[in-house]
Structures are given as C-alpha cells and as structure tokens.
Amino acid sequence: MKKRLLVPFPFAVLLLCGCVSTAAPDAAPYDSYTGFALAPEAVLPNHETHPSLWFKADDLLALRARRTADAFARERWAAVERLADLSAELPPPPAASAETKAIHQYYGSLSMAARAHAVVALLSDDPSVQSAHRQRAEALLLRAYDGPIFDLDSQVRGSPVDEIYRGSWLQNYAHAYDCIQPTLTTEIDREIRERLAREAQCVYENLYRWTPRSPHNHLSKPAWGLGSMALTLSDDPRAAAWLARAIEAANKNTRYFFSGDGLYREGSHYLIFSLTNFVPFLYHYRNVSGVDGFTTYQPVFEAMVKVRNSRGWLPNIEDSYIRPTPTHLVAGAYGNVSTELSSSAPLAQVLMWSYVNADLTPFDRERAESGFNYSGASWDYPLELDEFLTHDPTMKPVAPDADPNVFLAGGQTVFRDSWTSHGAEQRYLLFHGMPTADNHNHDDHLSFVIEAAGQMMCSDTGYSRGTYAGAERTAWYNTATAHNTLTFNGEAAGDPAPNVTPPTLFRFDTPSLVGEEKQAVFGTAATWQRAILWVDRDYYVVSDRLQAAHPGTIVAALHGGRGQLDHQGGHQVWSYEADNYGPAARLDCWQSAPNATTTTESGELTYIKGDYAAFPYLKTTAQSAHAAWLTVLAPAVAETPPAHAVENVSNTTCTALAISSADRRCLVASQPAAGPMIKIAGIETDGALVLIRRDTSGRPLSYAVHAATSLVIDGRAIFRAAQPRSETKDL
C-alpha cells in the first residue's frame, strides 16, 4: 500500500530560513507550450524503508557481483572507491566570507564523498572495510549542511550555494543516509534526519523565491533534489508537502523547456546538466513509491537518439557544448518498452546502443586536461557512481531500424544516411527550428549544422569560450551572426507567436530527395522561408527566400566550422584537418545571391569548453525588400577533387544553380514568392522553388515543386493543381 497525498497549492508553511515569498512563477506563457508533466499527486510509501532509493537490501548480493562483471563495471567501481578515500582528511567548514569556489567545492565534495563511502560500506566484502566506510559516511552525514550555507542567499547571482547545486547535494546526502540508516543508533539517526530535513524545508520554502520568474533549471534541479529527499524521509510529516512542491516545480520546467517529443529548448549542455538530477529522481520515485515517471520522460531519451550525430554527439546549438548521449543510465528502466526507433528491439537496447556507440574521446580528453566531466556538474555529481548503479552487463545494444530521417514536431529535423554508417558517404544535417524560450537561447532560428565524412562541418559556434557570464558570449556567441542564419535590419528571426514552433511549409522524404522548408519572421517587418534539400544522399541545397514590406539590410552568415577557407574558381572550399572531432575532410560551397556582396569574416567557435579558436565564415549582405538566395554544400573526404560542378544560371525570372556530377544533372531555381512564372532551361513553373533531376543524357528523373499550380518540363505539362501545393515525384 502507498500513501497517496494530494497537497493543494499554496501550502501552509513554517518559515525557517528567511523565506520572502512562496508564490509560484506566473503561469503565462509557461503553460502554453507542448511539454509534459508527471501526475501532480504526491505518492509516498506507507512506511519508510532503507535502503530503497537505488536498490533494496535484497539487491546487495547482485550489486556486489556487478563490481567485476565486465570492464565497464570494474572501471566505475574503481572510480567509486577513489571517491571514497579514507585517507582524505575532512576539511573544516569554510567561513561565509571564503572564496566562492572553496564554499561550493566544500559542500559538493563532502556530499559526494558521503554517498561514495556509504555505497562502499554496503558493497565491500571485507567487514573491517565496511565498518571504516560506514563510520566515515556517518561522520560526513553528521556534518551535512554545517558551515555558512544557511547564512548565504542562493538567490544572489554567483552564490556558492546556488540552488542548482543544492539539488545535487540533496540527492547525494539522501542516498548516503538511505544506505547506512539501518545501522545508525537512534540518537545519531535523529541528528542526521534533523540536518537533512532542515535543508529540505529550506529548499521547500525558498524554491520559488530563488527562481521567481522563468521555470528554468534553477527551479527544476533543486525541485528534483527536494523530491528525492522527501522520498528518503517519507515518514517526516512534511514529506508530502515537499514531494508535492517538488513535482509541481519540476513540472513547470518540463512543460515549458521540453517539447512534447522530448527536445530541450536550452540546448544539449543544460539537458545533460538537468539529467543529473531528473534521472536519480525518476529512479527514486519508482523504487520508493512505485510511480513510473520513466513513461512520462520517455520522449526525452528517444529524442537524444533521434538527434545524435554519427559520433553519438548532441549538437552545440543554443547555450551548449557538444555532449554525448548518456542514455545507458536509463536503459534498464525501459527493458520491455517498445519504441518507434525499432521494429523489434525494446527501447532499452536502443538506448544502450546510443551510449556504447558514442565516441567519448573529446570528453575524456577534456576531463584529463581540466578535471571536468561532461555532466556540467563535476563538483557536485558523481557520474561514475550512477553509471555503476544503473549498469546491466547483460544488456545487448541494438541499433535503431526506423527511418534515419527524423522530423520532430518540436522543431528539429535530421537528415542522415544511416544510423550506423561512417566514412566518405556519411551524412548528417540538423535543421533547427524550435520556438524561443526565455533563458539560455541564442539567436539561431532556422540554423543548421552538418556532420559529413565523419567531420563536423557547417557548425554552430557553440556556448562560449568559458561560461554564461563571459562578455564574449553576449557580444558574439549568442548573436545571430554567430550562427548559420539570417538577420533583417540587424534583427534576428523569431516565432510567429510565443511558444509557437516555426511552421513547416513542405516536407519531402524519398530515396533521391529529402527536404523541408520552415518559416520564421522578423516581427511584422519581413517573413523568411528557409528550405534545405538533400539531393541523392550526397549534397545539400539551401534556399533562403525573404519578403519584406520595405527595403532593408539582409545578412546571411555561413559558418563552415573548424576549417580553413579558400576561394577556388568561383566557389569556396573549407578544408578540415584531422582533429578531436573527426578526420580530414573538405566542404565545397557555391552560392547565388543576386545583388548581394559576400565577404570572408572571422568568428570564434567552441565545441568543448576551453577549446576555442577563430575560424573564417562567409557573410552575404544585400539591401532589398526581397531575396531568393541559393547555396550548394557538397561534403567530401580530404584531398579529393570536387565531385560536382556548379554553374550560376540565374536570369531575370529566378535565382538558379545547375549542378553536375558524374551521373546526374540537377537544376534548382527559386523566387522570393510564388506566383510569377519561372522560365529557365526548359522549365516553367509558378512555384516558389523547383528542383529537377536529370540523367547525363538530359532525361528528367524526378521533380520537386513548392507552392506551385503548374510545372512544365521540356514542353510537357508534368504537374497541375487547382491551388498552390508542394510535391515531389519520380518520372
């Protein structure tokens, strides 16, 4: 039996630590997006039992065996033992006036150590070792939250006891206590519970004061931590209120910052940073109360697989560095759960595949150089301990077999050649069109990134060289010019309305042509449509069409990534050396932008924190009320001649490029808006965009038109419609 407690808001509260207000952030616009939420009812067990958060007493024998089950388990267990260092002297509590870093590291390191010692105390085979670690864990718990933490205000920007850290400390101490509680004397148990409950009550009272506006990760991370502590101290009469508020606050985040299909609007870095708290909470809620929140969060983990590139990396769009997919942490929670990613394998195996097939080299190198792991919470979160606890050595990784091209309602689209292929033919493009949130956003509407032939090519510039507070971030990294996007009169593109995903105007997914067009606006001044077409599973065509009420300055930025840029006979070539992010490669680029000027500029780029440098990019500028610009991007391995010849064949009716390869000919033409008749190279259409593929003899193979009512090829009527529509078809 479980206690199901529905605690209405607002709660009756007992103010213990300077609470100013318990009011939740205003709902609008935070409840109008497509996200998801757990059931608001707080469910606690009838009786508190320990251990129960990550495992129960009956699981200890299997956990001990897991320590040496395989190389992964042995390495993670060794990391846990290093964290549980009995030779380390316990530092004295810092003063409130101490350096921010010293205070932060004090609370983070002691909470992680308490957890590690408690786990080793349970899983060691040697009784004397068990006793020593149990005593150390007990000593650390008896010091939990000593020092100046309650004299410092988490609401102060840059506080050493920021609420985002407190969420992790709560979960560390909760697990430490959960492990050793059965061995504690009544007096010591009471003293530790008082310490832990004091912090839980403080977080409960101050949660909305610390984060009074947007329900971003500063609200959700401590909320998930509070929820874990409520489940740990479930017999406490305040636990129901703690858990109810934790769920309520976390739901505010997941409703607004996640799309319904699992995309996170603040980027990959803050997704993983949040995952360090919501994954433990999901396990704790399921194991303690029997509430399976993994079902609600399933789209999040599936989305990680859907948008990962061939190296298993999540993109560095928004405020983000590239990140791996730590989906192995939750694979065991989806053992028999079906997924659209596979026709036969359960989601568990697909999640395991995503992690096992992720290249961790850049992240391992970063950790060796800086000491930081990829979680973004290295001072607070013991990654290897969670990896050990969630590892299943019998789990077989299975690759997805769904269509590798993914069109997500949340606003991201991925064109990829395969879930598993690499080498010269590997292709991946992510087309980014999520609605803007109100926190860690960059001006990157309708931008795109490319990974091809194993190398990062047209890439987002990333988070920043350092952190959120760096001046270079606001002056460069989060500006529109730092992304593969457009501006009009210096303004970045935006959404048609708050929380409304940029609309998709057409979508194609055939063996020879994959494509999509999305639309954004520059307020009421202009409308912009960007289409990206992937032709013959080889090269990309980017079409930008803009219509404005009055002439203005149109600027497009095209970033090639960490490559050097050369101008070769009417086109540009980015050359990439073999580096941490891929092998040597090249990217050929041809552009047609009538009445525009293209210059080569330099801008900083960061994939991994601290690994920053300036690289060249193209900036195309025009003064006009409309535009129809075309770009062809052809990736290839290094030191190979161009496999394509591209000719600018634009005329007075349209912008057009003719693309030739060894066995194909392709013509693509566009105009700012549909209606006028495009006439070029035997083609006539009133569409806004047309693409014709031919063989080397000139015979038409297929066509694609957008917003058209007619298409004539070589004098033959191919397409007729009563109303403008989009279509692609083989001939």
Side-chain angles (χ1 to χ4, degrees), residues 53 88 122 168 194 238 253 273 275 301 336 360 396 403 437 450 483-484 499 563 579 594-595 628 641 654 660 663 673:
L53 292 180
L122 281 181
S168 296
E194 286 178 354
R238 297 163 292 182
N253 174 271
F273 191 45
L275 176 147
F301 307 113
N336 296 310
L360 298 179
K396 178 183 176 183
D403 185 346
I450 292 175
H483 305 83
N484 294 316
N499 290 334
D579 58 16
N595 303 314
C654 63
S660 302
D663 58 353

Side-chain angles (χ1 to χ4, degrees), residues 123-187:
L123 300 187
S124 174
D125 295 319
D126 186 333
S128 63
V129 172
Q130 291 178 357
S131 177
H133 284 284
R134 185 166 53 249
Q135 291 176 29
R136 175 60 65 91
E138 183 178 303
L140 287 165
L141 282 163
L142 285 168
R143 290 184 52 178
Y145 303 110
D146 60 357
I149 186 169
F150 298 112
D151 298 323
L152 298 168
D153 191 350
S154 293
Q155 192 177 21
V156 175
R157 185 170 182 176
S159 171
V161 295
D162 193 297
E163 60 272 6
I164 54 174
Y165 316 141
R166 296 175 87 140
S168 296
W169 305 342
L170 275 164
Q171 290 179 319
N172 289 334
Y173 281 128
H175 190 211
Y177 175 73
D178 185 53
C179 287
I180 69 167
Q181 191 277 338
T183 66
L184 299 175
T185 66
T186 301
E187 182 177 347

Side-chain angles (χ1 to χ4, degrees), residues 298-343:
Q298 180 174 333
V300 176
F301 307 113
E302 290 177 319
M304 290 186 197
V305 180
K306 292 174 181 177
V307 303
R308 71 194 292 278
N309 70 10
S310 79
R311 309 285 287 279
W313 302 340
L314 300 172
N316 63 326
I317 54 174
E318 302 296 355
D319 256 354
S320 187
Y321 308 108
I322 59 169
R323 285 291 177 255
T325 53
T327 46
H328 61 311
L329 292 170
V330 296
Y334 296 99
N336 296 310
V337 176
S338 62
T339 174
E340 61 186 7
L341 288 163
S342 177
S343 60

Side-chain angles (χ1 to χ4, degrees), residues 421-443:
S421 68
H422 298 280
E425 306 304 315
Q426 183 267 321
R427 297 288 185 271
Y428 167 96
L429 182 145
L430 185 143
F431 191 4
H432 179 59
M434 296 191 71
T436 302
D438 68 350
N439 195 33
H440 287 285
N441 286 98
H442 290 204
D443 290 329

Side-chain angles (χ1 to χ4, degrees), residues 255-272:
R255 284 193 185 100
Y256 179 71
F257 283 106
F258 286 91
S259 66
D261 48 5
L263 295 173
Y264 191 61
R265 291 203 274 182
E266 295 195 303
S268 309
H269 172 76
Y270 284 98
L271 168 62
I272 303 304

Side-chain angles (χ1 to χ4, degrees), residues 159-231:
S159 171
V161 295
D162 193 297
E163 60 272 6
I164 54 174
Y165 316 141
R166 296 175 87 140
S168 296
W169 305 342
L170 275 164
Q171 290 179 319
N172 289 334
Y173 281 128
H175 190 211
Y177 175 73
D178 185 53
C179 287
I180 69 167
Q181 191 277 338
T183 66
L184 299 175
T185 66
T186 301
E187 182 177 347
I188 290 177
D189 182 60
R190 177 187 54 77
E191 183 175 347
I192 292 173
R193 290 179 72 91
E194 286 178 354
R195 287 177 170 271
L196 303 184
R198 182 186 183 190
E199 170 66 355
Q201 184 68 12
C202 183
V203 172
Y204 166 77
E205 292 174 358
N206 285 276
L207 193 55
Y208 291 128
R209 182 178 72 86
W210 290 335
T211 313
R213 292 174 294 277
S214 171
H216 49 64
N217 62 85
H218 284 256
L219 178 68
S220 58
K221 284 174 68 69
W224 287 311
L226 176 62
S228 290
M229 188 59 76
L231 295 165

Side-chain angles (χ1 to χ4, degrees), residues 464-538:
S464 181
R465 71 173 67 164
T467 62
Y468 182 87
E472 70 280 357
R473 175 182 171 275
T474 55
W476 169 249
Y477 279 94
N478 66 352
T479 66
T481 310
H483 305 83
N484 294 316
T485 188
L486 264 65
T487 61
F488 184 71
N489 284 338
E491 296 298 321
D495 305 313
N499 290 334
V500 174
T501 303
T504 292
L505 304 183
F506 74 77
R507 184 173 290 166
F508 302 140
D509 188 3
T510 71
S512 61
L513 182 67
V514 182
E516 185 178 47
E517 184 173 79
K518 298 177 185 288
Q519 178 173 289
V521 295
F522 299 96
T524 59
T527 301
W528 167 39
Q529 294 92 24
R530 166 166 279 180
I532 300 181
L533 305 171
W534 182 28
V535 184
D536 288 327
R537 302 174 62 83
D538 182 8

